[in-house]
Amino acid sequence: MAGRVVRPPWGDLVHAGRPSGRSQTARVCSRQSPRQELVISTPALPRTAASPRATRPTLVVDPAPDAAAVVHAARQIGAEARPIVLVHGTRTSSAIWAPQVAELERLGHVAVAIDLPGHGARSHERFTLEGALEAVDAAVAGCSAPPLLVGLSLGGYVTLAYAGRHEDRIAGVVAAGCSTQTRGPLLRGYSRVSTGVTRALRLGGGSWHVVTDMLHALAAYSPLSDLRRLTLPVWLVNGRRDPLRLEERRYLRAHSGARLTVVPRAGHDVNTHAPDAFNRVLVDALRELAPQHTP
């Protein structure tokens, strides 16, 4: 029976980037409609030179198949075998990934959310980039296969820095809320204003030093330099209301295969503002990274 090709379930997300020249598929039957066969089509790298470049984001409005069919499709192509390492942002902790860990574990993945130095269970430490990279490396080393590395904000910069040094140890990168370089007047202004507001409202206790540590550690870091030399798949995710997405087009140009997803009505903490949308990005990335099976 010939199947119906549909796009992955994105809702009203906005995408930019170049479409793939190849795809891998898994055929599934919906539980609600046993006779209707769905073909979940997912892009695969590398892209061909003949693939057209997207000149502007396109709105995806294809209807999603039912959840049971999506889960079964992912497992059919082996996506459940890929572990995931999640890296949080500044002045938060591994706890921010609760919506993602729950969904990923439901789908059969091993999800590891870590605490960076100066955060969570390691709040007594001072943040350094080297310490953060060591924390990521320890988590990656504990995975049974090269993981998908996912980072938000500070975690996004750390994941790109880690990928730049250890591309061979991971399968791909999802970098969210970090599409602006960590330098210049915008970041200096952020530090001054946020520090003043926090002190005036007596928020955060004595933990504010981690922001100073973070800005100092990343002052000389260029995510664009790492993006230019990466060959692994990269997904960029930003909330439409995130002020730190000013250079997302430069990020796309820096990595010819990078994909950008902009989530409407979400801000900087896109994984908690729109957890379902963010989870779909992760599931699609895992599906794309799954090994292609031959009949």
Side-chain angles (χ1 to χ4, degrees), residues 62-283:
D62 298 275
D66 66 89
V70 173
V71 172
H72 184 64
R75 290 179 174 171
Q76 283 288 96
I77 61 175
E80 80 285 357
R82 181 73 57 186
I84 306 97
V85 173
L86 301 128
V87 189
H88 62 79
T90 310
R91 300 185 76 241
T92 60
S93 73
S94 55
I96 69 164
W97 297 112
Q100 284 68 52
V101 170
E103 178 64 9
L104 291 167
E105 289 182 347
R106 186 182 74 84
L107 297 178
H109 298 274
V110 174
V112 180
I114 67 171
D115 283 329
L116 295 175
H119 302 80
R122 304 182 63 178
S123 58
H124 58 286
E125 303 176 37
R126 297 297 292 261
F127 178 86
T128 65
L129 181 57
E130 290 302 318
L133 294 175
E134 289 173 4
V136 173
D137 195 52
V140 169
C143 293
S144 59
L148 174 64
L149 190 57
V150 181
L152 172 72
S153 190
L154 170 60
Y157 294 114
V158 170
T159 60
L160 290 172
Y162 183 85
R165 298 188 186 191
H166 306 295
E167 182 173 9
D168 59 316
R169 301 181 188 178
I170 58 177
V173 171
V174 176
C178 61
S179 295
T180 295
Q181 295 198 86
T182 53
R183 61 184 70 177
L186 175 66
L187 273 298
R188 289 194 296 270
Y190 163 77
S191 178
R192 289 194 298 269
V193 172
S194 299
T195 301
V197 170
T198 299
R199 287 175 177 170
L201 299 178
R202 299 180 180 180
L203 300 174
S207 66
W208 190 254
H209 64 77
V210 75
V211 174
T212 302
D213 290 346
M214 176 271 291
L215 292 173
H216 176 74
L218 298 181
Y221 172 62
S222 172
L224 291 176
S225 295
D226 280 330
L227 278 169
R228 291 188 185 103
R229 61 172 169 262
L230 290 179
T231 59
L232 50 67
V234 174
W235 291 265
L236 304 173
V237 187
N238 294 315
R240 185 179 293 281
R241 299 171 181 171
D242 185 358
L244 295 184
R245 51 177 289 241
L246 298 178
E247 297 183 90
E248 58 189 17
R249 295 295 165 179
R250 291 188 68 191
Y251 277 47
L252 281 176
R253 290 193 296 271
H255 188 294
S256 60
R259 267 65 53 84
L260 169 66
T261 300
V262 175
V263 183
R265 297 179 295 280
H268 183 61
D269 297 330
V270 60
N271 71 303
T272 53
H273 293 169
D276 291 341
F278 194 86
N279 290 349
R280 289 175 194 144
V281 175
L282 300 186
V283 170

